[in-house]
Amino acid sequence: MYQLHYFPSNANAAPHMVLEEIGHEYELVLVDRANNTQKSEEYLKINPNGRIPTLVDGELVMFEAAAIVLHLVDQHPQAGLAPKVGTPERAKFYQWITFLTNSLQEELMIWQYPDRLTGTDAAATEIVRRGAEKRAGAYLDVIDRHLKANGPLFLGDKLSAVDFYLVMLSRWARPMSNPPRSRPSIARLLDMVGALPAVRRAYEREGVTGEIC
């Protein structure tokens, strides 16, 4: 059985949606971020970064949401959440999940927590926040153009784990001045994927019962 260490609506959401879509048995373990449990001595033994999520798969312990997603799709190819290894489609799958985690997610983290870079300098904090939001918006524009030309999903009409990852990041980005849903092709993907039973179940198990993204 898999064990997913999580906190509601954190980076565990993408692996959680994948687990639900796969249909494999798993256990959720709450890491109480409200009480800084992710920095506890016990949690740091399995995730030295003190971040969420962590996946335990038997003797294998993994951190980093995108890496966990890649592991899960490889372990369950029958779920069809990634193209066959060695194909051009699989290369594009790698491209987009890397883009989401390395580019969009990174800017969203800076946008949400600019003080981690600026400390108590309020003016610098606002400059960093605005810059991160501008860059995140540009990345969302790239995604929207891709979906318009090649969608409705990242890989055409074939659902993949990359689509789940965008749902997770789009939830985080809702407070942006131009949120993901302001882009028609992204909004279409969010409507399609957000309505899937696996997505609804994952968020409901984390305590999210309203609008996802």
Side-chain angles (χ1 to χ4, degrees):
M1 180 192 298
Y2 294 116
Q3 190 181 74
L4 181 64
H5 294 249
Y6 84 105
F7 187 79
S9 293
N10 273 219
N12 44 264
H16 196 177
M17 287 182 267
V18 170
L19 282 168
E20 281 289 343
E21 183 69 20
I22 287 169
H24 194 278
E25 189 176 8
Y26 69 94
E27 175 188 7
L28 284 178
V29 179
L30 178 66
V31 181
D32 190 0
R33 185 178 169 192
N35 290 312
N36 223 30
T37 303
Q38 77 276 17
K39 303 297 184 183
S40 67
E41 182 178 350
E42 181 180 3
Y43 187 73
L44 290 173
K45 290 178 181 178
I46 63 169
N47 190 329
N49 297 309
R51 300 177 70 175
I52 303 167
T54 302
L55 181 79
V56 179
D57 177 9
E59 296 299 314
L60 176 65
V61 180
M62 296 186 67
F63 51 82
E64 293 297 328
I68 293 170
V69 166
L70 291 172
H71 173 65
L72 291 173
V73 300
D74 283 346
Q75 291 298 107
H76 300 275
Q78 74 284 353
L81 291 179
K84 186 178 178 181
V85 173
T87 62
E89 293 78 17
R90 182 72 171 214
K92 286 294 185 179
F93 172 80
Y94 289 143
Q95 169 190 282
W96 285 114
I97 200 163
T98 302
F99 178 78
L100 289 181
T101 188
N102 281 11
S103 299
L104 180 57
Q105 183 173 348
E106 181 65 19
E107 292 300 341
L108 290 177
M109 291 294 290
I110 295 171
W111 169 67
Q112 289 180 312
Y113 307 107
D115 55 298
R116 292 178 179 176
L117 298 177
T118 62
T120 58
D121 188 329
T125 296
E126 186 57 29
I127 291 170
V128 169
R129 187 194 304 274
R130 288 200 304 267
E133 182 169 2
K134 183 178 180 179
R135 291 187 296 274
Y139 294 144
L140 287 167
D141 290 341
V142 169
I143 294 167
D144 194 64
R145 288 193 295 269
H146 166 73
L147 294 175
K148 181 179 180 180
N150 304 284
L153 304 171
F154 273 99
L155 302 181
D157 59 0
K158 179 64 175 174
L159 179 70
S160 73
V162 183
D163 302 308
F164 293 141
Y165 215 96
L166 182 62
V167 169
M168 176 182 77
L169 297 183
S170 295
R171 178 172 176 80
W172 299 359
R174 287 182 304 167
M176 288 176 63
S177 56
N178 292 301
R181 274 196 173 276
S182 67
R183 296 160 178 84
S185 296
I186 291 180
R188 183 183 181 191
L189 182 150
L190 298 179
D191 286 341
M192 293 175 62
V193 181
L196 294 174
V199 174
R200 302 302 310 182
R201 288 195 304 267
Y203 276 103
E204 286 171 2
R205 289 197 64 181
E206 294 186 14
V208 178
T209 57
E211 184 182 24
I212 292 173
C213 57

